[in-house]
Amino acid sequence: MWYIIESREEALITTGFKERLNAEQLQQYTQDNSLVKYLNQTPSKEGDCFNIPAGKIHTIGKGNLLAEIQQCSNTTFRIYDYNRHDAAGNKRELHLNESIKALDFNDTATGQVEASKDGTLINCSYFTVKKQEPSENQLLDYSHLSSFVVILNLKDTITFKYNKEVIPLHAMETLLIPASIKQIELSPSSNTRFLEVYI
């Protein structure tokens, strides 16, 4: 999933096909440089969230700063690279055959999601992500989880306390709370906003 932290006015997120395609069409559109016309392009703004399951074609447009939460696979299939060249004038390797096997050609959704009342953005079999905006001191209770928790701070500074240790967490920093820690104190700033991630 992608969570947009900041974006410029012209920034776009590309996710999913505009219409159902097949392998032959994909090959044709990549060869004639028209593929982008057949993809959903969504103007992005701070706070937007996109769910990107396996098989969904996707790319990050320029002007986006985002958080990416994912099941680690260490695999990227590059379908199209906008005819870019590296410093030596070479194009990057494409993986069209592998992509054809992996893509869901029926996926025409943008994948954009809204937070639920409790702040949940994504709750899938691989991970859960919640957006939290606390306005007062509180005790975070993770006794119901068997997972570690990752806090990604998006705004201002948050102060955590555990066993008399004070842990300041600044904007764009992360805190890994081990599964063995079931409760931790939180003191927010005036505009605190963070992502809470666990498996």
Side-chain angles (χ1 to χ4, degrees):
M1 63 149 279
W2 289 335
Y3 179 88
I4 309 299
I5 300 172
E6 295 176 5
S7 66
R8 297 177 186 165
E9 187 174 346
E10 73 281 4
L12 298 171
I13 290 293
T14 301
T15 47
F17 297 106
K18 283 185 178 178
E19 58 188 51
R20 294 179 180 180
L21 300 182
N22 57 43
E24 291 74 21
Q25 289 172 310
L26 182 72
Q27 289 177 315
Q28 175 188 335
Y29 299 152
T30 54
Q31 290 170 2
D32 65 17
N33 297 317
S34 65
L35 179 62
V36 176
K37 294 192 303 184
Y38 300 92
L39 305 177
N40 294 315
Q41 292 190 302
T42 305
S44 56
K45 64 183 186 303
E46 179 184 346
D48 285 348
C49 181
F50 296 85
N51 185 26
I52 306 169
K56 179 184 282 293
I57 192 168
H58 58 280
T59 188
I60 305 167
K62 66 179 181 179
N64 284 296
L65 173 65
L66 57 79
E68 180 174 85
I69 313 298
Q70 67 173 14
Q71 177 200 29
C72 186
S73 67
N74 293 324
T75 301
T76 297
F77 293 147
R78 191 174 297 111
I79 303 168
Y80 180 68
D81 201 30
Y82 301 87
N83 289 317
R84 290 181 289 195
H85 296 77
D86 63 20
N90 301 311
K91 293 184 178 180
R92 292 195 294 181
E93 181 183 3
L94 300 180
H95 312 95
L96 190 56
N97 291 333
E98 295 91 338
S99 299
I100 286 171
K101 295 177 182 178
L103 279 172
D104 180 355
F105 287 99
N106 295 315
D107 187 348
T108 59
T110 65
Q112 190 167 4
V113 297
E114 299 289 336
S116 64
K117 289 183 179 180
D118 71 347
T120 300
L121 293 166
I122 301 290
N123 183 13
C124 66
S125 57
Y126 301 111
F127 52 79
T128 296
V129 181
K130 293 184 176 182
K131 181 173 71 172
Q132 305 286 16
E133 301 179 74
S135 58
E136 57 187 27
N137 293 356
Q138 59 182 271
L139 182 67
L140 299 180
D141 186 351
Y142 298 122
S143 59
H144 62 291
L145 298 179
S146 58
S147 166
F148 60 83
V149 177
V150 175
I151 303 292
L152 170 56
N153 189 16
L154 303 171
K155 292 277 186 182
D156 292 345
T157 298
I158 311 170
T159 301
F160 292 91
K161 294 180 182 177
Y162 179 74
N163 281 353
K164 298 182 180 180
E165 183 177 0
V166 177
I167 307 163
L169 190 68
H170 305 291
M172 305 305 296
E173 292 184 339
T174 58
L175 175 67
L176 173 64
I177 302 172
S180 59
I181 294 179
K182 297 304 182 183
Q183 293 183 329
I184 190 168
E185 295 179 60
L186 175 151
S187 298
S189 300
S190 57
N191 294 308
T192 290
R193 184 179 306 147
F194 63 88
L195 297 182
E196 182 181 58
V197 184
Y198 52 86
I199 58 175

